[in-house]
């Protein structure tokens, strides 16, 4: 017995026009939001190519009249930007990797083995985020002084690891909870050890969480200023965020052109780091949704 299907009724013209208008409004709102986010970076880039005369003009211009790399040359000649950028990269990268490496097994234990210790760890995570930096800087300085780690990059890495670890644990706990327990039980039935379950089953499904936590830890350590200012005294060991303050004179007058050039260079590593890991983050989310 054959069935006949009647064609779907056409969509009224008014409804199609409403859908098109709604889609146009969504794209327009998204474009405005992107312009809002990109404006500071674009203005910073434009300022870095302007001459001192153009920077001092009362009529600011969007595009430099006579673009020049002079501000970048002055910035590199006046201060050790390359060295400070390398210091920031070493400190931020090391702190992010160490924090995530410690946070993964700790978050797994806190989620899968509920006990007083795990509950105390959760309380510690919440309480540790309430302390202002000014309150802990003096005891932190004394501890690092006793360890002979003042004015050293390893000491700053240790501080950043401890500072980023609570939030890294908090982030990864949510991703661990999303991993189905049945997958771990199936692997255990097949004879896999607890370490094998963590590295072979849980860890691949945590890829989105690992990437997101790694990005957060890296950007936080890269942009951090207060700890680096207090703990690092030698110019050759200072990070990028501290070197930027050298472009401001004793009277508070900033050398605007070189400062804009140095600030733009300071934002590039974070943008490149996010761009490199963005595809990994999306692929991990897709893989995790399929495996789950």
């Amino acid at each position: 017995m054959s069935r006949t299907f009647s064609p779907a009724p056409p969509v009224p013209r008014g409804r199609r026009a409403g859908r098109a208008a709604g889609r146009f409004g969504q794209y327009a709102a998204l474009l405005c939001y992107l312009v809002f986010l990109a404006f500071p970076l674009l203005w910073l880039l434009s300022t870095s190519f302007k001459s001192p005369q153009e920077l001092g003009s009362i009529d600011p211009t969007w595009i430099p009249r006579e673009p020049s790399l002079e501000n970048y040359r002055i910035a590199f000649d006046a201060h050790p930007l390359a060295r400070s950028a390398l210091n920031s990269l070493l400190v931020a990268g090391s702190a992010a990797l160490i924090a995530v490496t410690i946070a993964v097994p700790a978050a797994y234990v806190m989620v899968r083995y509920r006990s007083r210790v795990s509950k105390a760890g959760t309380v510690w995570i919440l309480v540790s985020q309430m302390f202002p930096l000014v309150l802990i800087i003096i005891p932190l300085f004394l501890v690092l002084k006793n360890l002979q780690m003042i004015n050293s990059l390893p000491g700053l890495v240790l501080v950043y690891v401890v500072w980023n670890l609570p939030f890294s644990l908090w982030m990864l706990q949510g991703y661990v909870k999303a991993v189905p327990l049945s997958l771990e039980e199936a692997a255990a039935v097949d004879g896999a050890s607890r370490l094998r379950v963590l590295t072979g089953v849980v860890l691949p499904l945590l890829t989105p969480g690992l990437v997101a936590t790694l990005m957060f830890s890296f950007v936080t350590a890269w942009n951090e200023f207060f700890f680096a200012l207090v703990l690092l005294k030698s110019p050759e060991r200072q990070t990028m965020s501290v070197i930027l303050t050298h472009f401001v004179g004793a009277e508070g007058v900033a050398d605007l052109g070189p400062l804009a050039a140095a600030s733009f260079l300071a934002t590039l590593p974070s943008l490149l780091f996010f761009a490199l890991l963005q595809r990994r983050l999306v692929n991990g989310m897709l893989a995790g949704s399929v495996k789950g």
Side-chain angles (χ1 to χ4, degrees):
M1 181 177 179
S2 62
R3 297 182 179 180
T4 58
F5 297 92
S6 59
V11 179
R13 182 176 300 179
R15 183 178 298 178
R16 284 184 295 177
R19 290 179 180 176
R23 189 177 297 109
F24 176 78
Q26 292 176 355
Y27 286 128
L30 179 60
L31 179 61
C32 292
Y33 183 64
L34 291 177
V35 171
F36 173 77
L37 292 179
F39 173 76
L41 183 62
L42 296 177
W43 184 257
L44 186 66
L45 178 62
S46 175
T47 304
S48 67
F49 288 105
K50 293 180 180 179
S51 62
Q53 294 76 15
E54 192 172 356
L55 289 173
S57 175
I58 60 175
D59 297 324
T61 57
W62 292 92
I63 301 176
R65 298 188 184 96
E66 298 179 358
S68 173
L69 295 175
E70 185 66 15
N71 290 326
Y72 290 89
R73 186 192 66 79
I74 295 175
F76 276 99
D77 290 344
H79 303 286
L81 287 182
R83 181 63 184 178
S84 64
L86 180 60
N87 292 339
S88 294
L89 184 62
L90 292 175
V91 170
S94 301
L97 288 175
I98 295 174
V100 172
T101 302
I102 298 175
V104 169
Y108 179 79
V109 171
M110 293 175 67
V111 171
R112 293 295 188 239
Y113 300 94
R114 303 299 298 177
S115 63
R116 293 182 179 179
V117 176
S118 61
K119 293 180 181 179
T122 304
V123 174
W124 168 71
I125 292 175
L126 297 176
V127 173
S128 63
Q129 302 302 305
M130 300 179 184
F131 292 101
L133 299 181
V134 179
L135 185 63
I136 66 174
I137 189 61
I138 294 179
L140 179 64
F141 185 89
L142 295 177
V143 170
L144 292 179
K145 182 180 179 180
N146 293 331
L147 296 176
Q148 297 183 355
M149 300 183 73
I150 295 294
N151 194 30
S152 68
L153 296 182
L156 190 61
V157 170
L158 178 61
V159 172
Y160 287 164
V161 169
V162 176
W163 188 252
N164 286 332
L165 191 57
F167 192 83
S168 300
L169 280 171
W170 186 263
M171 286 186 63
L172 288 175
Q173 280 189 65
Y175 287 94
V176 173
K177 291 179 182 178
V179 176
L181 187 59
S182 58
L183 296 179
E184 301 180 36
E185 294 174 347
V189 170
D190 292 338
S193 62
R194 180 60 63 181
L195 180 61
R196 178 60 181 171
V197 171
L198 177 61
T199 58
V201 178
V202 178
L203 200 59
L205 297 178
L206 293 181
T207 301
L210 294 176
V211 174
T213 307
L214 192 65
M215 288 192 298
F216 169 81
S217 300
F218 178 86
V219 173
T220 301
W222 178 273
N223 295 330
E224 202 282 324
F225 170 74
F226 187 68
F227 286 136
L229 177 66
V230 175
L231 300 178
L232 300 177
K233 299 303 180 182
S234 302
E236 65 273 8
R237 291 189 177 92
Q238 290 178 340
T239 57
M240 197 76 169
S241 59
V242 178
I243 289 295
L244 291 179
T245 62
H246 296 177
F247 291 92
V248 180
E251 298 179 355
V253 179
D255 197 357
L256 193 56
L259 176 59
S263 299
F264 178 75
L265 293 176
T267 61
L268 288 181
S270 298
L271 296 176
L272 294 176
F273 188 75
F274 178 78
L276 292 174
L277 294 183
Q278 183 182 18
R279 179 177 299 180
R280 185 74 177 177
L281 176 62
V282 175
N283 292 341
M285 292 177 65
L286 295 177
S289 63
V290 172
K291 292 178 182 179

